[in-house]
Amino acid sequence: MKYLSYSNRMMDPGDVIIPVPESYHDCMTLARSDYNRIGGNGNSVSSIKLFLKTFYDDRWAFQFYLRMAAYEKGMFRALFSGIRFLYGRRLGCIISPKTPIGFGLVLGHGCFGIVINPETVIGNNCLISQFVNIGSNDKNAGVIGDCTYIGPMVCVVDEVHIGSNVTIGAGAVVVKDIPSNATAVGVPAKPINFENPGRYIGNKWML
């Protein structure tokens, strides 16, 4: 596994560190980190169990093949990306395997209706709820810090930076930067307090 850093002006220190798989073993590690976040024991679960779960859980199938397709030089990348696309179409979920995503991603409530610009950077141990749209009118999309919760029906617009341990309430429209440890709500979203940061982020994958 190699790691890339992305600047986030709302974090201290100011970089989001994103894992980039260099083998299918690395892809499985990413999948295990996600499985751990949704209530499993990612450290001990077998690769076979992770694969078999795709046959009866559409959300997990989408997320599993999203992770497997992230290995750019993999000989099965086109196949895995195609399977990801088919599950995504069924769920109305659009996330590219090229999107920089950290360990421990959770896509909430069946991941219905989630649309994420491929230029978005998503930190480690984040939770993205249903009907979230993270978009951009150009190539510069948002940068989301570690341990951030994004509630249902949130829109994150253009090149905003969201810090770590942030909670964004349902229906918010984020058009300006959100500092670390904040709870932000409203249209446009504004911080309302700095109490209980990251309170909805459980089962964190240890980096």
Side-chain angles (χ1 to χ4, degrees):
M1 192 88 73
K2 68 177 180 180
Y3 297 86
L4 296 178
S5 62
Y6 296 84
S7 178
N8 186 323
R9 55 184 172 257
M10 305 309 291
M11 289 177 58
D12 183 21
D15 289 333
V16 181
I17 307 301
I18 300 295
V20 179
E22 296 186 295
S23 67
Y24 284 121
H25 179 270
D26 290 345
C27 292
M28 279 294 182
T29 299
L30 293 174
R32 284 190 177 90
S33 74
D34 298 345
Y35 183 80
N36 186 81
R37 289 287 321 288
I38 62 176
N41 187 344
N43 286 307
S44 62
V45 65
S46 69
S47 299
I48 294 175
K49 182 174 181 178
L50 293 177
F51 171 69
L52 291 176
K53 187 176 173 63
T54 66
F55 289 99
Y56 58 88
D57 185 335
D58 286 356
R59 178 189 70 164
W60 174 251
F62 173 82
Q63 197 158 344
F64 178 83
Y65 288 109
L66 174 69
R67 292 303 204 175
M68 298 305 293
Y71 176 31
E72 290 187 354
K73 296 182 180 179
M75 63 183 299
F76 300 111
R77 190 183 194 204
L79 173 63
F80 292 150
S81 186
I83 298 172
R84 168 207 57 90
F85 174 80
L86 292 175
Y87 278 104
R89 186 168 64 177
R90 181 185 300 180
L91 299 168
C93 186
I94 301 175
I95 306 175
S96 169
K98 296 180 181 180
T99 306
I101 301 173
F103 291 106
L105 175 69
V106 174
L107 302 176
H109 293 283
C111 68
F112 291 111
I114 298 174
V115 179
I116 297 177
N117 185 294
E119 300 297 322
T120 304
V121 177
I122 301 172
N124 301 282
N125 294 314
C126 289
L127 190 157
I128 298 175
S129 302
Q130 67 273 24
F131 302 111
V132 165
N133 190 320
I134 304 176
S136 175
N137 292 315
D138 53 35
K139 292 184 178 181
N140 298 315
V143 180
I144 299 167
D146 298 335
C147 302
T148 288
Y149 168 89
I150 299 179
M153 296 179 288
V154 168
C155 289
V156 179
V157 184
D158 288 338
E159 193 184 1
V160 298
H161 286 213
I162 298 171
S164 293
N165 302 308
V166 170
T167 299
I168 300 178
V173 178
V174 183
V175 296
K176 294 183 179 180
D177 293 349
I178 304 294
S180 292
N181 304 316
T183 294
V185 300
V187 181
K190 297 180 181 179
I192 58 170
N193 67 61
F194 291 85
E195 302 170 3
N196 300 316
R199 62 186 180 277
Y200 297 130
I201 304 298
N203 299 323
K204 296 178 184 178
W205 183 260
M206 302 308 293
L207 306 180

